[in-house]
Amino acid sequence: MITFAPEKALQIGEVAALSEVPIKTIRYDEEQGLLTPTVRRSKANYRLFEASVLQRLAFIKRSQSLGLSLREIQDILTVHDQVQLPCEDVKQNLQKKVQQVTKQIEALQLLRSELQGVLSGWQDHPPAAIAARTICPNLEAVIDTAVAQDSNT
Amino acid sequence: MITFAPEKALQIGEVAALSEVPIKTIRYDEEQGLLTPTVRRSKANYRLFEASVLQRLAFIKRSQSLGLSLREIQDILTVHDQVQLPCEDVKQNLQKKVQQVTKQIEALQLLRSELQGVLSGWQDHPPAAIAARTICPNLEAVIDTAVAQDSNT
DNA sequence: CTTAACCCTCTAGTAAGCTAGAGACTCTAA
DNA sequence: TTAGAGTCTCTAGCTTACTAGAGGGTTAAG
């Protein structure tokens, strides 16, 4: 895991190819400070990345897809990059984040069960029974449940 | 549940007060077609909403907080509003949505367990043991796990 | 009839996260 | 040495979901 060899620096194009993140996006992320510790500049002012930028970009991508903002991701990475460990602050931050994630999971599970309820409702009622009504009662149920849940909050 | 009485229409300000959604946002949502079936216009071109708009707005809010775009929410509501039930199409759409939500839940559970792992790691190592290292090994683990998961996808 | 509180539309601006293009420099291979 | 690929910065534009403000019509109370 520890590399003593002076690993070959990657140019932005190589990083883009390897990570499948567009060059422009890499530049953007760097500008936002998300890649700072993995990049330096050549004499000609080219960005030179170390290989670990690939893990970093992968982490960023995955976190983004879960709804974390670049700012939130940066907070995590900043901690990661600290040599002086601010463990108390960080611990609290992470605990907060865990709680948020937990809430989000619960809300999504609720939404899923609502949607599944709609689907099973469809199985229960033969289409003809539904067609007799003016408004699809299945989705009505979804919305009502949603509202009920909301007002419980 | 079924109201035969010609319920009093709400002006946008009343809706805003009751729903705690800003007027501008309500206008925006209406413009995007999300409120269509609950709104008509007065002679003076005022928006007049029926009470069900409140459920609708609550549903929209909650769905948004789960990461659904207005477009996705509109798709659901459009179905809800159809008198002619396009149940086959809709069923497939909803099934797809259920799958997406399921994936998202799984990814969030993974992220959560990673973050929890970091936290318990902190409990395991007394600070001194960590401080001896150059980089916080806990978050290193998070990132590595994340990357490993990514390449499995 | 006037005034205040509403409402209307329209234009423009904001934030996040990119994406595109111009104009210029750098590096590599023939 | 020169073409071409790669890189740089900078400006500008795009999308989503608002948010603010101007300028003007509407409604209800006094």
Side-chain angles (χ1 to χ4, degrees):
Chain A
M1 271 301 165
I2 301 172
T3 28
F4 291 105
E7 43 176 294
K8 191 198 142 228
L10 300 169
Q11 286 192 190
I12 197 167
E14 301 173 285
V15 174
L18 291 168
S19 64
E20 296 181 83
V21 173
I23 287 185
K24 295 270 186 182
T25 303
I26 297 172
R27 283 205 267 252
Y28 178 77
D29 286 357
E30 190 238 34
E31 195 184 303
Q32 301 303 301
L34 288 160
L35 306 181
T36 307
T38 65
V39 65
R40 52 196 174 84
R41 294 297 181 117
S42 73
K43 279 171 202 160
N45 203 31
Y46 281 25
R47 287 170 185 84
L48 294 179
F49 297 90
E50 43 183 273
S52 64
V53 78
L54 298 175
Q55 273 97 75
R56 223 174 157 84
L57 285 170
F59 180 71
I60 293 168
K61 254 206 266 187
R62 199 177 69 102
S63 302
Q64 274 188 299
S65 80
L66 294 177
L68 302 207
S69 67
L70 289 187
R71 187 62 222 289
E72 288 175 304
I73 299 168
Q74 194 186 9
D75 288 346
I76 298 179
L77 289 174
T78 298
V79 172
H80 168 267
D81 300 330
Q82 304 240 330
V83 176
Q84 307 258 355
L85 302 179
C87 284
E88 272 319 303
D89 288 9
V90 169
K91 198 173 166 178
Q92 292 190 357
N93 266 335
L94 285 181
Q95 272 167 343
K96 217 164 159 187
K97 196 72 219 164
V98 168
Q99 281 169 17
Q100 284 170 16
V101 169
T102 298
K103 272 194 187 164
Q104 210 186 333
I105 289 169
E106 284 164 7
L108 281 169
Q109 281 169 338
L110 175 63
L111 178 66
R112 184 178 52 178
S113 73
E114 284 165 7
L115 294 179
Q116 278 168 340
V118 173
L119 285 170
S120 60
W122 247 298
Q123 282 159 14
D124 294 350
H125 311 263
I130 296 172
R133 311 198 173 212
T134 37
I135 291 186
C136 180
N138 298 313
L139 269 165
E140 204 71 76
V142 175
I143 291 182
D144 290 348
T145 314
V147 172
Q149 282 294 339
D150 242 25
S151 41
N152 292 353
T153 313
Chain B
M1 271 301 165
I2 302 172
T3 29
F4 292 103
E7 42 175 296
K8 189 199 145 226
L10 300 168
Q11 285 191 193
I12 196 167
E14 301 174 284
V15 174
L18 291 168
S19 64
E20 297 181 82
V21 173
I23 288 186
K24 294 270 186 182
T25 303
I26 296 172
R27 282 203 269 252
Y28 178 77
D29 287 357
E30 190 238 33
E31 195 184 303
Q32 302 301 302
L34 288 160
L35 307 178
T36 308
T38 66
V39 65
R40 52 196 174 85
R41 294 298 181 118
S42 73
K43 278 170 202 159
N45 202 30
Y46 281 25
R47 286 170 187 84
L48 295 178
F49 297 92
E50 44 183 272
S52 65
V53 79
L54 298 174
Q55 273 98 74
R56 223 174 157 86
L57 285 171
F59 181 71
I60 291 168
K61 255 206 265 186
R62 198 176 69 101
S63 302
Q64 274 189 299
S65 79
L66 294 176
L68 304 206
S69 67
L70 289 186
R71 186 64 221 288
E72 288 174 306
I73 298 168
Q74 193 186 10
D75 288 345
I76 298 178
L77 289 173
T78 298
V79 171
H80 167 268
D81 301 329
Q82 304 240 330
V83 177
Q84 308 258 354
L85 302 178
C87 284
E88 273 319 304
D89 289 9
V90 168
K91 199 171 165 178
Q92 292 190 358
N93 266 335
L94 284 180
Q95 272 166 343
K96 217 164 157 190
K97 195 75 220 161
V98 168
Q99 281 169 18
Q100 283 170 17
V101 169
T102 298
K103 272 194 187 163
Q104 210 186 333
I105 289 170
E106 284 163 7
L108 281 169
Q109 281 168 338
L110 174 64
L111 178 66
R112 184 176 54 178
S113 72
E114 284 164 7
L115 294 178
Q116 278 168 340
V118 173
L119 285 170
S120 59
W122 247 298
Q123 283 157 14
D124 294 349
H125 310 265
I130 296 171
R133 310 194 172 217
T134 36
I135 291 186
C136 182
N138 297 312
L139 269 164
E140 204 70 76
V142 175
I143 292 181
D144 289 349
T145 314
V147 172
Q149 282 295 337
D150 241 24
S151 41
N152 292 352
T153 314

